[in-house]
Amino acid sequence: MGLLSLWAESLTYEYEILKSCTHHKSPRSKCKKCVESCKDNAISFVNGIPSINSEQCTQCGDCIAACSVQAVAGIFPARTVKNHRLVITGDQVPSIKELLVYYKKGITEIAYDGELSVHWRKSIEDTNEILHLLGEPPFTFMNEKMEEATIEMTRRELFFSWKKEAKSLVVKMAPAKWRFNQEDLQLAKYYPSHQFAEITLDTSKCTLCKACEFLCHHKCLNISDDSFILNAQSCSACHLCEDICPEKALTVIEKVSAHKILNLPVVTKVCSTCGQNFKTLIESDEVCVPCEKRKNLLDIH
């Protein structure tokens, strides 16, 4: 282990929720992935924001993997790697997201000694199903007697080894606290030909208010003068765009598929009521949104 790694090991740290959390961006966020992933009930909402109770937290890393926007900072617990194989030790089962990232880093075999637990087998089999959708060969199993002198590498060290320039990590380290580079868990950059979510838009409801574009963490939505582009390749299914859309025009589902871009034309019309130009996704629209809302309000009263 190098000096940098030894120094990082010596630092104290606690898991924490970063400002990039969807609940910091909007009170309308309904995301509860970190809370639902925590088996120790160490995460709860405080004034509408998820908070980690450090006394209850066992630093299992499940919340880091569960977060759609990489807003949980911390350090993963230990893993064992031997000859580019992930060695099954203990009961801490890796998430599908974690296994998919390891796979792209060259760890494509799972080694175990004796019986493979139900939880481990399910995680690996579920990951293999996704690998099939991605057009990749599956993880293979190796049942063999483990040598005592295995090459141990913690998940922290594994992510360290992915960095060609170790010095760049020092810049990202806060004083007296090493933070795991949670951005490395973005699946999109490892599988650029596929997407892990699908975004659909009800054009009859959308008013082109741009709230979704402004708040999207991964910049999947782009509205210009002549088009509305939906690019789900980097979408991590945080559902914030869906949660904040005032017209409920957006829907996000978790689905593995080939990468595709949806380009919807935006047209400029002249409002038949106020005479002002307005943008719309519907060619047949004749009234701008403000005038339409005023009309609906008057009809109610």
Side-chain angles (χ1 to χ4, degrees):
M1 185 181 294
L3 291 176
L4 180 60
S5 296
L6 287 171
W7 174 71
E9 291 281 356
S10 70
L11 300 179
T12 60
Y13 64 90
E14 290 181 357
Y15 280 28
E16 64 177 312
I17 308 293
L18 304 178
K19 295 292 185 181
S20 52
C21 171
T22 58
H23 290 277
H24 279 287
K25 291 189 172 185
S26 172
R28 293 185 180 181
S29 173
K30 298 176 183 177
C31 183
K32 297 180 180 178
K33 290 183 179 180
C34 60
V35 175
E36 293 170 348
S37 71
C38 184
K39 298 183 289 291
D40 300 294
N41 298 317
I43 307 177
S44 59
F45 282 90
V46 178
N47 297 324
I49 305 295
S51 177
I52 300 176
N53 185 329
S54 59
E55 293 184 358
Q56 289 181 237
C57 178
T58 59
Q59 299 180 352
C60 66
D62 288 348
C63 57
I64 294 178
C67 181
S68 298
V69 293
Q70 293 78 52
V72 182
I75 300 175
F76 273 166
R79 289 289 185 207
T80 302
V81 173
K82 176 188 176 185
N83 299 328
H84 301 290
R85 296 173 183 168
L86 179 62
V87 181
I88 293 179
T89 57
D91 299 322
Q92 186 63 43
V93 181
S95 68
I96 293 173
K97 182 188 291 186
E98 184 186 345
L99 287 173
L100 287 172
V101 174
Y102 285 172
Y103 185 91
K104 276 300 183 179
K105 289 299 178 179
I107 301 175
T108 59
E109 293 184 345
I110 309 291
Y112 65 101
D113 184 0
E115 291 294 323
L116 188 63
S117 75
V118 174
H119 298 298
W120 267 93
R121 186 173 292 278
K122 177 172 174 49
S123 182
I124 297 167
E125 289 178 349
D126 288 348
T127 303
N128 280 342
E129 288 184 14
I130 294 179
L131 286 171
H132 176 71
L133 295 174
L134 293 167
E136 300 280 0
F139 274 104
T140 56
F141 295 94
M142 301 291 293
N143 190 347
E144 60 180 18
K145 186 70 177 176
M146 295 294 121
E147 301 175 10
E148 292 185 5
T150 58
I151 303 173
E152 292 196 2
M153 182 183 290
T154 66
R155 280 194 260 188
R156 184 179 349 183
E157 293 161 349
L158 180 62
F159 281 99
F160 253 117
S161 71
W162 296 353
K163 296 291 183 181
K164 293 181 179 179
E165 296 293 335
K167 290 182 180 180
S168 68
L169 283 173
V170 179
V171 179
K172 299 177 183 178
M173 293 178 186
K177 182 184 287 187
W178 185 88
R179 290 196 173 99
F180 168 73
N181 183 20
Q182 62 274 2
E183 296 298 324
D184 275 325
L185 286 178
Q186 290 185 32
L187 291 179
K189 66 182 180 181
Y190 300 106
Y191 301 90
S193 299
H194 290 79
Q195 58 192 44
F196 292 82
E198 183 175 270
I199 308 171
T200 56
L201 178 71
D202 186 339
T203 55
S204 67
K205 294 180 179 179
C206 178
T207 62
L208 299 173
C209 69
K210 296 192 176 185
C212 58
E213 178 186 33
F214 179 74
L215 289 175
C216 180
H217 182 80
H218 293 300
K219 308 301 180 185
C220 301
L221 308 162
N222 182 266
I223 303 172
S224 65
D225 287 339
D226 56 10
S227 66
F228 188 154
I229 297 175
L230 292 85
N231 184 353
Q233 199 280 321
S234 58
C235 178
S236 57
C238 72
H239 295 274
L240 183 58
C241 63
E242 183 179 349
D243 294 338
I244 59 93
C245 179
E247 312 301 335
K248 302 302 177 187
L250 281 161
T251 303
V252 179
I253 60 172
E254 296 187 43
K255 178 182 178 181
V256 179
S257 61
H259 175 217
K260 55 183 177 291
I261 298 176
L262 183 61
N263 192 334
L264 303 173
V266 172
V267 294
T268 302
K269 305 281 287 187
V270 178
C271 178
S272 60
T273 300
C274 68
Q276 297 296 314
N277 288 349
F278 69 98
K279 302 289 185 180
T280 179
L281 292 165
I282 307 298
E283 181 69 38
S284 59
D285 278 351
E286 298 296 336
V287 181
C288 67
V289 172
C291 288
E292 184 67 32
K293 289 187 175 181
R294 278 194 296 270
K295 179 179 179 300
N296 292 337
L297 185 61
L298 290 173
D299 288 343
I300 292 174
H301 295 286

